[in-house]
Amino acid sequence: MGIGGASRFHCLALLCIAEPVIVNGDGKRACDLHVSCGGGYTGHLRFLAPQPLADSAADLVVRNATIYTSDASIPFAEAMAVRNGRILRIGTDAHVRGLIGYRTHELNLEGKVVLPGFIDSHVHLISGGLQMGRVKLQGIKSKEDFVMTVKEAVKDKLPGDWLLGGGWNNDIWGGELPDASWIDDITRDKPVWFVRMDGHMGLANSLALKLAGITNSSLDPVGGTILKTSNGADPTGLLIDSAMKLVLTVIPEISVHERQEALITASKYALMKGVTTMVDMGRYFPGASVDDSWQDLSDVYKWADSSGKMLIRVCLFFPLQTWSRLRDLFEDKGRSLSQWIYLGGVKAFADGSLGSNSALFHEPYEDDPHNYGLQVSDFDWLFNAIVASDKTGLQVAVHAIGDKANDMVLDLFNSVKSVNEGRDHRFRIEHAQHLVPEATSRFGVQSVIASVQPDHILDDASSAEKKIGKARAQKGSYLFRSLLAGGAKLAFGSDWPVADIDPLRSIKTAMTRIPPGQETAWIPSERVGLDDALNAYTIGAAYACFLDNELGSLSPGKYADFLVLPSSSWEEFKKSIPSSVSATYVSGLQAYP
């Protein structure tokens, strides 16, 4: 044996003392040995320590991090090991170190904050992707800006081409509703359809109205309104809720390729925001075809899954009218079609929206004293359909914004429970924006999930007080803290493209409730803490769609979906929530940037 120039001696005795395992700068483990050999030579030998077997070593180890887990059993950790896309172990560096092998990739984050991947509990994913390539009317602040934006967009269109877009909010420019006369002169030979930011009202130009067969003698459809001039002589171009179907049915069908591209574009955008899972409520809303969501499943989601193009996980909801079709698929495939696609349940509508004066209230609108809002579904039909779908194990979500609509849906869910006893329903109310005070405790008592969107506060804080009065608005709007105090489970989301996908901003909104241009909180008593806000975007959101065994927390056995923030410590993160994420990982693989 030759060691350090002592090759002429034979070792008569060998004493090896292993020092504690260390991690070298290159990430490999090593041992230090002191060697004593015959002939008076003593030496020092360093060699690589035994590595874990290939099938037990981690693929990825995240070290030296500040990991918020959303797991109550271990709220914080500093290291995490991942293998085959799932979390193998989480805890201290020492606890995880033994899983580092030759091929393990080590990610030393130098104290940076790690969160579970955000779950956006309510989006219209393909609609959002499509809107990214259409006329953008978000943030328009005047009639002049509205007209100028349309004038620019129409330049690239040929006669007969449809001009599609959305995102306008008349409350931003003082409340005046747009009408066809604003844009008829510049879109004379091009039909137009622009959806309001809430998705419950749209503006058509005169050519689009003509193509849809809408005239001064057209009657309002059930669950919708054709707005007409003050003397009732002519339609203004504005259609509310189910009346939108009149125009939607004459718009050319969106191609499969467009929808596939929309999914990929939207998924990349979500990853940039730290969102790794989305609960997709589909392209279904009052007036839309109930077949759209099913076409997207077959043409878009299954295509992306089979071709390896899925970038985020999706949990899909379908129109309640199609519950038996979903039941058949659910019984055949179960809740999971793959690691990317989950079957959520069915969705229905109880009312419209506040911005379109179609949310259903117990008392009339301040700015429209004869209007209480719209009940857009027959509740006898709703009851029977929910009983049937719930009995087969499908989760049920119902859109309700006004206080009366929420009370009616809570009553409805209670009646269904009395028929279908003894099962985990996890009924959801989507939005739950305006409640009578007594309703907040009913969510907890009845175990109804409040699927809410904090960033809607940014748009509604001023308009709500105008539409339903300051007293009613401040007494019953966005009662997040009261819902939590009553035992309800919150699931946060964006309702994209109604509001932007931006969980970090949404968390800040829920914590501060400060609308744009203001310095004080709107209804400060309803602010929530950081932990509650984070959990509503992670484990609470996962629970709200029956995925809490797979997602929602950084726990052993769950998918390794997480994001890295630029914050260098938890204290820095609490003090100033960053506006962007540094990186997003899905199944332990970096997906953004």
Side-chain angles (χ1 to χ4, degrees):
M1 178 178 183
I3 302 177
S7 58
R8 65 184 183 277
F9 295 108
H10 295 285
C11 291
L12 300 178
L14 180 65
L15 176 64
C16 298
I17 305 172
E19 300 289 346
V21 174
I22 64 171
V23 178
N24 294 331
D26 60 5
K28 295 180 179 178
R29 298 188 307 155
C31 287
D32 276 351
L33 299 183
H34 294 294
V35 182
S36 177
C37 297
Y41 175 80
T42 60
H44 177 269
L45 176 65
R46 172 170 289 181
F47 67 94
L48 292 177
Q51 302 292 307
L53 296 175
D55 60 354
S56 63
D59 301 320
L60 169 71
V61 165
V62 179
R63 298 180 48 245
N64 192 18
T66 304
I67 303 174
Y68 180 83
T69 67
S70 290
D71 183 339
S73 66
I74 176 172
F76 286 93
E78 61 183 7
M80 175 172 61
V82 177
R83 185 170 66 222
N84 296 330
R86 292 183 182 265
I87 297 170
L88 187 61
R89 188 179 296 174
I90 189 165
T92 63
D93 272 349
H95 183 57
V96 170
R97 187 181 297 154
L99 295 172
I100 300 174
Y102 286 117
R103 298 181 180 178
T104 301
H105 173 64
E106 290 189 61
L107 184 63
N108 186 338
L109 292 180
E110 300 178 345
K112 286 192 167 49
V113 172
V114 171
L115 302 175
F118 291 130
I119 300 172
D120 193 317
S121 293
H122 188 120
V123 300
H124 306 277
L125 187 54
I126 294 175
S127 295
L130 290 169
Q131 179 58 32
M132 292 177 76
R134 294 176 174 175
V135 182
K136 297 176 177 62
L137 298 168
Q138 291 90 342
I140 296 293
K141 297 181 179 179
S142 68
K143 173 183 177 180
E144 291 72 25
D145 287 345
F146 188 102
V147 174
M148 184 59 64
T149 301
V150 177
K151 185 177 292 187
E152 286 297 315
V154 82
K155 288 180 179 179
D156 298 328
K157 295 292 183 180
L158 298 173
D161 286 348
W162 277 83
L163 195 64
L164 304 174
W168 58 270
N169 181 3
N170 54 298
D171 292 323
I172 295 178
W173 63 69
E176 180 187 5
L177 288 168
D179 63 51
S181 67
W182 286 19
I183 56 176
D184 274 345
D185 286 345
I186 55 177
T187 62
R188 195 174 302 278
D189 57 358
K190 302 169 185 68
V192 170
W193 178 245
F194 294 148
V195 182
R196 192 181 187 275
M197 50 87 69
D198 56 18
H200 289 265
M201 178 189 286
L203 173 67
N205 68 349
S206 292
L207 179 55
L209 292 175
K210 181 179 179 180
L211 292 173
I214 299 173
T215 68
N216 57 2
S217 60
S218 297
L219 300 178
D220 291 340
V222 175
T225 304
I226 301 170
L227 286 186
K228 296 182 179 178
T229 53
S230 57
N231 60 7
D234 297 297
T236 66
L238 289 169
L239 307 176
I240 300 175
D241 286 310
S242 63
M244 296 190 294
K245 184 177 182 178
L246 300 172
V247 166
L248 292 173
T249 54
V250 298
I251 296 175
E253 186 175 345
I254 304 165
S255 72
V256 172
H257 176 72
E258 284 181 284
R259 289 183 281 130
Q260 291 172 346
E261 287 298 309
L263 171 64
I264 294 171
T265 301
S267 299
K268 289 179 179 178
Y269 185 65
L271 290 169
M272 185 174 70
K273 299 291 188 175
V275 175
T276 55
T277 300
M278 287 190 164
V279 181
D280 183 14
M281 296 295 170
R283 291 189 292 134
Y284 172 62
F285 47 86
S289 170
V290 297
D291 293 327
D292 288 347
S293 297
W294 287 99
Q295 290 174 355
D296 289 340
L297 172 62
S298 59
D299 297 342
V300 181
Y301 287 117
K302 287 185 176 180
W303 162 82
D305 194 21
S306 63
S307 58
K309 296 184 183 295
M310 286 295 294
L311 303 176
I312 60 173
R313 306 185 206 281
V314 294
C315 180
L316 306 177
F317 276 72
F318 299 84
L320 178 60
Q321 294 93 318
T322 65
W323 71 267
S324 60
R325 185 174 178 181
L326 182 59
R327 172 204 60 198
D328 295 343
L329 182 59
F330 199 86
E331 290 177 351
D332 182 39
K333 300 292 186 181
R335 188 173 297 279
S336 172
L337 300 186
S338 72
Q339 66 163 311
W340 300 103
I341 303 173
Y342 299 90
L343 301 178
V346 289
K347 182 196 175 185
F349 287 84
D351 66 347
S353 71
L354 180 73
S356 300
N357 280 30
S358 57
L360 186 62
F361 286 94
H362 289 290
E363 299 177 44
Y365 285 84
E366 288 278 321
D367 60 350
D368 190 2
H370 299 292
N371 180 21
Y372 291 79
L374 285 175
Q375 179 183 315
V376 300
S377 296
D378 178 82
F379 268 65
D380 288 336
W381 172 82
L382 268 182
F383 173 77
N384 291 324
I386 292 174
V387 166
S389 54
D390 176 66
K391 186 176 293 184
T392 65
L394 300 178
Q395 189 179 18
V396 178
V398 179
H399 163 118
I401 288 182
D403 55 19
K404 184 175 182 179
N406 276 277
D407 282 347
M408 292 173 72
V409 175
L410 286 169
D411 290 342
L412 186 68
F413 284 159
N414 207 37
S415 298
V416 174
K417 276 189 173 183
S418 66
V419 176
N420 296 339
E421 296 181 320
R423 51 179 311 275
D424 186 2
H425 308 270
R426 300 194 198 181
F427 289 137
R428 299 167 55 121
I429 290 185
E430 304 301 316
H431 310 305
Q433 287 180 5
H434 305 281
L435 306 172
V436 297
E438 298 78 19
T440 57
S441 60
R442 292 186 65 188
F443 276 81
V445 170
Q446 294 181 212
S447 299
V448 174
I449 293 159
S451 172
V452 297
Q453 299 77 41
D455 271 354
H456 285 347
I457 291 173
L458 304 179
D459 295 312
D460 281 358
S462 59
S463 61
E465 295 187 1
K466 295 175 184 175
K467 289 182 176 296
I468 60 175
K470 185 173 182 179
R472 284 165 61 192
Q474 296 213 355
K475 188 178 181 180
S477 301
Y478 297 91
L479 304 181
F480 300 157
R481 190 172 184 86
S482 293
L483 284 164
L484 286 171
K489 292 188 181 296
L490 294 186
F492 278 178
S494 65
D495 200 11
W496 189 63
V498 174
D500 193 14
I501 301 172
D502 198 344
L504 289 172
R505 186 182 71 172
S506 187
I507 287 167
K508 185 176 180 179
T509 299
M511 294 172 62
T512 64
R513 296 178 68 102
I514 299 178
Q518 299 187 24
E519 297 180 356
T520 57
W522 187 55
I523 321 178
S525 60
E526 293 298 330
R527 292 176 295 192
V528 300
L530 178 59
D531 285 1
D532 287 329
L534 286 173
N535 289 342
Y537 254 121
T538 54
I539 190 62
Y543 175 87
C545 55
F546 284 95
L547 292 179
D548 46 317
N549 289 327
E550 296 283 314
L551 306 167
S553 66
L554 299 176
S555 309
K558 293 189 179 184
Y559 282 115
D561 298 350
F562 62 94
L563 59 103
V564 182
L565 297 177
S567 307
S568 297
S569 68
W570 191 250
E571 289 69 28
E572 179 184 330
F573 175 55
K574 287 195 299 182
K575 184 177 180 180
S576 178
I577 295 175
S579 59
S580 62
V581 306
S582 298
T584 306
Y585 288 75
V586 179
S587 293
L589 300 175
Q590 187 170 339
Y592 168 81

